[in-house]
Amino acid sequence: MAFDTRSLADLANHDAFISRHNGPRADDAATMLSTLGLDGIQSLLQLTVPADIRLADDLELDPPRSEAVALDYLYRLARQNRVAKCYIGQGYYDTLLPAVIQRNVLENPGWYTAYTPYQPEISQGRLEGLLNFQQMVMDLTGMELANASLLDEATAAAEAMALCRRANKKAKSNAFFVADDVFPQTLDVVRTRAHYFGFELIVAPVEQLVEHDVFGALLQYPGQSGEVRNLAEVVEQAKAHGVMTTVAADIMSLVLLKEPGALGVDIVIGSAQRFGVPMGFGGPHAAFFATTDKLKRAIPGRIIGVSQDSRGEMALRMAMQTREQHIRREKATSNICTAQALLANIAGFYAVYHGAEGLRTIASRIHRLTTILAEGLTRGGITLAHDSWFDTLRLTSVDARKIHGRAMAHDVNLRYFENGDIGLSINQTTTAHDLALLLDILLDEEHGLSVTALDEDVTRLSKSGIPADCQRSTDFLTHPTFKRYHSETEMLRYLKRLENKDLSLAHAMIPLGSCTMKLNATTEMMPITWPELARIHPFAPRDQVAGYRQIIDELSDFLAEITGYDHVSMQSNSGAQGEYAGLVAIRRYQQAQGEQHRDICLIPSSAHGTNPASAAMANLKVVVVECDKDGNIDLIDLKAKAEQHSAALSAIMLTYPSTHGVFEEGVREACDIVHQHGGQVYIDGANMNAIVGLARPGDFGGDVSHLNLHKTFCIPHGGGGPGMGPIGVKSHLAPYVSNHVVTPLDGVEPNAGAVSAAAYGSASILPISWAYIKMMGARGLREASQLAILSANYIAKRLEGHYPVLYKGRNGYVAHECIIDIRPLKAASGISEEDIAKRLMDFGFHAPTMSFPVAGTLMIEPTESESLYEVNRFCDAMIAIREEVARVESGDWPLDNNPLVNAPHTMADLMDADWKRPYSREQAAFPSDAVKASKYWPAANRVDNVLGDRQLICSCPSIEAYRD
Ligand SMILES: *Cc1c(COP(=O)(O)O)cnc(C)c1O
């Protein structure tokens, strides 16, 4: 070897994270460029990104850090958070995530890198996990139906309110009742939502419900001060008055309490956080949403249902997908797209692992500790606000200052009510030792009480905080799934079995257009389970969360620099929630300007379905702007509509680059037109992966944008969530972003209501995006965008002769994704985009985005993280499939019996004794050399969509069903 002449800096550079995140090597990029006939990446940029938006300089970010340095720095920040003993409660509780679930699900890319299970044949594992979650929720709430998670308890409450209004056809009133013992953050979110729906909110004590003429009511069980009261009578009276009732319930309490379903309520919502999901300074966690059977067609969010595959075997799928926003647009039942699939799976597995007996032990222990404490406090002379409880006590007439001082000295967090009362909630981690300390803090030193003696007294006196008529008498989790996996060995294998059924980024590229399935680096993921980040309550005192505040501030600064906005709000838990938050900020700003009459929102026909759904939620009227034949916004139509609605124009929502996968040349002009008519510009930033470091929405006309951190900024998709959808705003909108009642934010209008339960949304996954930006720096981010564009154009080029590319920009190039049109092929051969999508599974790939944004097409997005090897493997598969289509076209294979319509092929197919197909078994399941070397087996044959919707079954099937 010759002497290595590289300097220390050169050597460090060579080892940078950038080359781990970005897939193509330098010579691969050169190969791709030469395939495109280009001499360099700059030529490609000049031909794609419009000159009038292109950024002249590099972003002002720190130089890229190595993985080790970034982790080190992050750990130093994390350590500035103080993990205190947490009794704050109020919807968030410390919990013990079983290690077998932490390592094999939460920390396992086989689970966290998967996509929303739109392709059920390669998603049976997580579909089963989500079905378990639904079954667990149905059992514990006593309801007939549950969905597969919502974003948080507060947004679930807001969705419940909207559902009551939709479903309660008889009620004339436009008022909604909220009991005054509902959590304040829930009320905050419900209030924001109600305002734009034009609902009046009545907040009053539960017993006053019947005095009001309302369409629905929200009650909490147990109440926020811990009281456990029998709601049967109130619910019954409400029903008699035609009022629909929603109960926000604590899932752990339901193990011991009478299930709300038995009280006759219509909807039960809540958070599944305390089933093993760390508090994480606010999230992510899964909310649950359960209803009566009557409401099954109106329930928001995703529902997993049971169906059959083409061999008649039971198979799971997402039911009733046609209600979703991408199809129903402004008529959608909600704007929910990304939810909390990974966290729902974890909560479901927590229930599977513990079973009914285990949960009873955990809940009883929590309740016993609370009862011991209640007994001790009463003997110590403290008055409790209520004589019933599950896990929460409210202490009245106490010296809060003195107690606060002692609590702080011991790193103990309590809840302090405004009137001087003190609240505390016991959780799964609380020990007898903790209880002794609590007694010392809450009582004066010489109380002379011992936990052991109190425990004996509680037993002797048969004391309980649960009134007799509130005790649960029904069984739950009786399905065999909740009985079989209680040893760690069994659980480990169950989780592995499910994981093996699913295709994730650990297997192959997932070329889903508009979804940006890029690398979720291990280094980025490691911090999320650090206790310094995981075990922090969202309402912990400010001085205990200095680390989180700095991470959030730094990330906000990075994102402001990347987008060209002045301020970033971190509250929204998904892209769609970001849209809603951004539109609400626009409406508040316009109201402050005396322009509350502006209520028209222009939306191009190419928009993602969440856009019109979010606009409708902000009480905006959607006016659709047409696109031209090249997929661009039709500027003439835009001008005409802006003029026509000039006085009432609130905003335009446009996506850049568009969901048609092109850089539109006219984006600046489109923004100008809207501004000239006094409207605001919302730029949907979900496609930022094409422009980070190349152009900034804040520079070319945006007033506000959301970013999908779970797309561009490396938060994994988790099989359908979590996500984060922060919004960037120009300074004039900054005071109008969401605030928070419990933990108010600086610089935001005090009465700007919240859109999420926690001030910073799902804060614990923000370090993922922080680390990504820190390790990439300006150079790495720019390179990533360039490679994303290069890769998409390379694919378009390679496929061009085989499939027509639907839309291209001015110079014949696409942006970071490309749409191929299957309609001509289908007309000629009868083979559909769905057949191609399913056939890709036999080649070991996930399908591209199907029939969005244009029916009959496939949208392919490779991202920068895929190597040229993998991109070629995908293109080769697509070309091989095209050749198979040709054999159908030529009559070589009949239309009803060929590898495409029969796809995907399972092991069961290959085992068929009489193989009656005009192609070989090898062609069926091993169609390429790559597959021969490493085969992923789809777990189900083609799943029947129609059957699953016709007979909706959303619970775990009986063992008999498995046998049939
Ligand atoms: C993904 C996406 C959204 C919605 O984001 P969620 O986080 O799923 O709510 C909105 N707009 C566009 C263009 C998207 O691609």
Side-chain angles (χ1 to χ4, degrees):
M1 276 287 273
F3 174 68
D4 194 334
T5 57
R6 289 174 296 176
S7 72
L8 206 49
D10 288 346
L11 289 164
N13 235 355
H14 203 81
D15 189 32
F17 172 73
I18 301 171
S19 68
R20 304 289 183 199
H21 176 86
N22 290 337
R25 308 293 93 187
D27 49 345
D28 295 337
T31 305
M32 291 195 271
L33 283 163
S34 80
T35 305
L36 292 168
L38 296 171
D39 56 7
I41 197 80
Q42 289 310 321
S43 314
L44 178 65
L45 292 183
Q46 262 155 32
L47 291 164
T48 50
V49 186
D52 69 344
I53 67 167
R54 225 177 298 140
L55 208 56
D57 301 313
D58 252 349
L59 296 169
E60 280 180 36
L61 296 169
D62 288 346
R65 306 287 181 209
S66 73
E67 295 176 61
V69 169
L71 262 191
D72 239 27
Y73 182 57
L74 196 54
Y75 189 54
R76 262 184 291 148
L77 291 185
R79 270 199 340 225
Q80 290 177 34
N81 294 331
R82 274 234 307 286
V83 183
K85 283 279 173 195
C86 186
Y87 304 100
I88 300 173
Q90 213 176 330
Y92 303 90
Y93 310 86
D94 207 355
T95 177
L96 298 173
L97 169 58
V100 63
I101 301 174
Q102 174 172 329
R103 174 150 296 182
N104 296 289
V105 182
L106 182 55
E107 297 174 342
N108 178 352
W111 283 94
Y112 64 68
T113 68
Y115 185 65
T116 310
Y118 279 112
Q119 300 289 344
E121 297 83 1
I122 53 174
S123 313
Q124 291 294 308
R126 59 195 186 279
L127 284 165
E128 180 168 331
L130 293 171
L131 194 73
N132 293 343
F133 174 81
Q134 290 178 182
Q135 183 70 61
M136 164 195 97
V137 170
M138 286 160 58
D139 281 8
L140 286 169
T141 59
M143 301 301 281
E144 290 156 324
L145 193 73
N147 76 10
S149 83
L150 290 182
L151 293 171
D152 60 30
E153 177 164 336
T155 52
E159 292 293 340
M161 171 176 68
L163 173 55
C164 287
R165 182 57 288 184
R166 283 201 304 277
N168 195 342
K169 301 268 170 15
K170 282 195 223 101
K172 299 268 177 307
S173 161
N174 231 12
F176 186 71
F177 180 94
V178 182
D180 65 358
D181 63 350
V182 163
F183 291 137
Q185 71 272 17
T186 303
L187 177 58
D188 195 5
V189 171
V190 168
R191 202 187 283 287
T192 308
R193 199 73 72 88
H195 179 74
Y196 291 99
F197 281 143
F199 301 155
E200 183 195 347
L201 271 198
I202 294 166
V203 183
V206 180
E207 46 284 352
Q208 291 175 19
L209 169 56
V210 286
E211 298 164 22
H212 297 279
D213 179 22
V214 293
F215 65 81
L218 173 66
L219 318 173
Q220 190 144 344
Y221 181 66
Q224 68 149 330
S225 298
E227 184 184 20
V228 180
R229 60 191 287 169
N230 190 340
L231 296 170
E233 205 181 308
V234 188
V235 170
E236 202 174 305
Q237 284 173 341
K239 207 179 214 100
H241 284 77
V243 176
M244 285 179 62
T245 45
T246 299
V247 164
D250 175 296
I251 196 159
M252 188 63 87
S253 77
L254 296 183
V255 171
L256 302 183
L257 299 187
K258 188 179 280 276
E259 62 281 18
L263 311 176
V265 308
D266 299 288
I267 305 168
V268 184
I269 60 128
S271 166
Q273 179 265 317
R274 67 191 305 182
F275 275 21
V277 183
M279 294 185 286
F281 197 40
H285 330 117
F288 59 85
F289 196 106
T291 67
T292 57
D293 188 62
K294 267 206 323 252
L295 296 172
K296 69 180 169 204
R297 307 269 160 195
I299 183 172
R302 296 183 171 136
I303 307 168
I304 308 310
V306 181
S307 187
Q308 283 184 359
D309 71 8
S310 58
R311 297 183 69 90
E313 296 292 326
M314 191 199 78
L316 308 177
R317 62 181 281 276
M318 292 204 303
M320 300 188 298
Q321 291 182 32
T322 48
R323 302 163 323 130
E324 285 203 34
Q325 19 65 28
H326 66 274
I327 295 173
R328 301 255 303 159
R329 298 176 66 93
E330 63 267 35
K331 289 184 195 65
T333 48
S334 76
N335 72 340
I336 296 156
C337 186
T338 289
Q340 303 281 19
L342 185 68
L343 303 312
N345 269 318
I346 289 173
F349 289 139
Y350 178 94
V352 166
Y353 193 41
H354 289 299
E357 259 329 292
L359 289 182
R360 253 182 231 116
T361 303
I362 294 166
S364 296
R365 203 174 145 275
I366 290 172
H367 183 247
R368 166 61 71 118
L369 286 166
T370 314
T371 306
I372 292 169
L373 186 62
E375 183 67 15
L377 293 177
T378 317
R379 288 193 201 173
I382 283 184
T383 313
L384 301 178
H386 307 291
D387 53 12
S388 62
W389 57 80
F390 162 64
D391 69 344
T392 299
L393 303 174
R394 178 166 173 157
L395 289 48
T396 64
S397 330
V398 285
D399 187 341
R401 272 174 69 104
K402 214 156 97 188
I403 292 176
H404 180 257
R406 286 200 291 254
M408 285 298 101
H410 287 96
D411 266 346
V412 164
N413 288 343
L414 303 169
R415 180 174 176 195
Y416 300 94
F417 287 89
E418 258 171 39
N419 72 348
D421 288 2
I422 284 180
L424 57 87
S425 299
I426 302 299
N427 63 61
Q428 192 193 357
T429 71
T430 312
T431 61
H433 182 78
D434 296 331
L435 219 55
L437 179 60
L438 271 177
L439 286 170
D440 289 346
I441 289 170
L442 295 167
L443 300 172
D444 288 318
E445 277 90 292
E446 300 304 320
H447 55 74
L449 297 166
S450 96
V451 173
T452 317
L454 287 166
D455 187 26
E456 281 163 14
D457 290 351
V458 166
T459 305
R460 190 166 42 78
L461 302 166
S462 314
K463 262 192 101 86
S464 162
I466 303 173
D469 63 349
C470 290
Q471 280 175 12
R472 182 169 193 127
S473 57
T474 53
D475 234 355
F476 56 92
L477 304 188
T478 54
H479 190 274
T481 298
F482 297 98
K483 296 183 170 168
R484 240 189 88 180
Y485 308 110
H486 298 167
S487 77
E488 183 167 331
T489 302
E490 281 293 338
M491 189 66 189
L492 172 70
R493 290 177 190 155
Y494 180 53
L495 296 174
K496 196 55 160 181
R497 247 184 348 259
L498 295 186
E499 181 194 344
N500 285 347
K501 291 184 179 186
D502 288 9
L503 189 131
S504 72
L505 282 176
H507 295 94
M509 77 186 275
I510 300 184
L512 282 160
S514 207
C515 300
T516 314
M517 302 294 291
K518 57 162 68 175
L519 171 73
N520 317 116
T522 312
T523 294
E524 292 154 7
M525 290 300 294
M526 277 168 54
I528 62 165
T529 43
W530 290 348
E532 292 87 348
L533 295 173
R535 296 185 68 182
I536 304 288
H537 193 286
F539 309 150
R542 229 176 128 86
D543 63 358
Q544 290 176 12
V545 294
Y548 256 122
R549 284 188 11 238
Q550 190 167 339
I551 292 168
I552 290 167
D553 284 350
E554 289 191 13
L555 180 59
S556 299
D557 289 347
F558 297 162
L559 295 177
E561 171 63 17
I562 287 168
T563 54
Y565 288 110
D566 301 312
H567 176 79
V568 172
S569 163
M570 290 288 183
Q571 201 170 100
S572 15
N573 286 316
S574 73
Q577 291 303 91
E579 293 166 17
Y580 175 67
L583 292 172
V584 164
I586 288 176
R587 299 222 75 185
R588 284 186 187 131
Y589 165 76
Q590 287 173 338
Q591 172 156 28
Q593 308 295 306
E595 302 200 312
Q596 56 271 34
H597 60 277
R598 289 187 177 269
D599 66 348
I600 298 287
C601 188
L602 302 177
I603 300 184
S605 58
S606 57
H608 193 275
T610 52
N611 289 186
S614 300
M617 278 167 59
N619 198 21
L620 291 164
K621 298 194 186 78
V622 175
V623 172
V624 176
V625 179
E626 297 308 328
C627 286
D628 64 19
K629 63 168 184 13
D630 298 322
N632 297 310
I633 300 176
D634 182 341
L635 290 177
I636 299 174
D637 191 45
L638 172 59
K639 255 187 213 140
K641 296 211 161 117
E643 231 141 70
Q644 185 191 342
H645 299 287
S646 185
L649 184 59
S650 174
I652 188 170
M653 292 184 89
L654 48 86
T655 304
Y656 205 81
S658 77
T659 50
H660 284 162
V662 288
F663 290 107
E664 294 178 61
E665 299 285 326
V667 64
R668 255 185 200 277
E669 193 184 341
C671 297
D672 289 345
I673 294 170
V674 172
H675 282 145
Q676 278 155 21
H677 291 279
Q680 296 280 301
V681 175
Y682 187 103
I683 295 180
D684 181 329
N687 289 348
M688 271 301 281
N689 207 47
I691 58 169
V692 172
L694 305 177
R696 309 195 303 173
D699 292 346
F700 59 75
D703 296 294
V704 45
S705 290
H706 78 262
L707 298 171
N708 286 57
L709 299 190
H710 47 299
K711 292 177 181 171
T712 313
F713 296 96
C714 299
I715 290 176
H717 280 71
M724 267 298 281
I727 56 172
V729 294
K730 282 289 174 66
S731 56
H732 65 282
L733 293 177
Y736 304 104
V737 301
S738 314
N739 208 325
H740 194 272
V741 271
V742 186
T743 48
L745 303 168
D746 299 332
V748 183
E749 286 279 296
N751 53 3
V755 294
S756 295
Y760 304 103
S762 299
S764 67
I765 51 179
L766 292 175
I768 300 169
S769 300
W770 180 98
Y772 172 60
I773 298 169
K774 203 83 183 162
M775 297 189 295
M776 293 291 273
R779 175 169 67 86
L781 293 174
R782 193 189 54 228
E783 274 179 32
S785 304
Q786 291 168 348
L787 287 169
I789 297 171
L790 176 58
S791 225
N793 277 286
Y794 174 79
I795 289 179
K797 186 80 184 173
R798 276 212 62 195
L799 296 184
E800 192 168 60
H802 309 275
Y803 302 90
V805 174
L806 187 59
Y807 296 123
K808 288 178 178 174
R810 182 171 43 103
N811 299 305
Y813 292 91
V814 299
H816 65 310
E817 56 196 10
C818 75
I819 301 179
I820 56 171
D821 195 351
I822 310 299
R823 290 169 298 187
L825 203 67
K826 186 174 176 184
S829 67
I831 295 298
S832 70
E833 71 282 3
E834 184 169 32
D835 298 327
I836 295 173
K838 303 301 179 190
R839 182 61 174 148
L840 272 169
M841 296 170 183
D842 290 330
F843 284 83
F845 285 105
H846 192 290
T849 301
M850 217 170 73
S851 287
F852 170 84
V854 184
T857 65
L858 295 172
M859 181 159 60
I860 304 163
E861 179 182 1
T863 84
E864 70 279 8
S865 295
E866 294 303 339
S867 65
L868 179 58
Y869 172 83
E870 185 70 356
V871 166
N872 275 332
R873 196 168 76 86
F874 174 73
C875 292
D876 293 344
M878 287 298 291
I879 292 165
I881 289 174
R882 180 64 187 87
E883 282 158 10
E884 292 182 344
V885 178
R887 294 186 65 178
V888 179
E889 259 175 292
S890 70
D892 208 1
W893 282 330
L895 181 55
D896 64 352
N897 192 2
N898 59 63
L900 293 133
V901 295
N902 291 335
H905 295 85
T906 56
M907 271 195 240
D909 286 335
L910 262 65
M911 297 296 290
D912 264 343
D914 50 344
W915 177 259
K916 292 203 201 88
R917 307 187 188 202
Y919 53 93
S920 68
R921 287 182 166 95
E922 185 174 21
Q923 174 128 26
F926 297 95
S928 72
D929 287 343
V931 172
K932 281 173 205 149
S934 171
K935 175 69 184 168
Y936 163 80
W937 287 100
N941 284 92
R942 189 88 60 103
V943 176
D944 188 334
N945 289 323
V946 178
L947 176 76
D949 276 356
R950 211 173 46 232
Q951 19 173 288
L952 192 62
I953 304 168
C954 305
S955 49
C956 292
S958 65
I959 281 300
E960 284 65 43
Y962 282 99
R963 270 198 216 106
D964 280 348

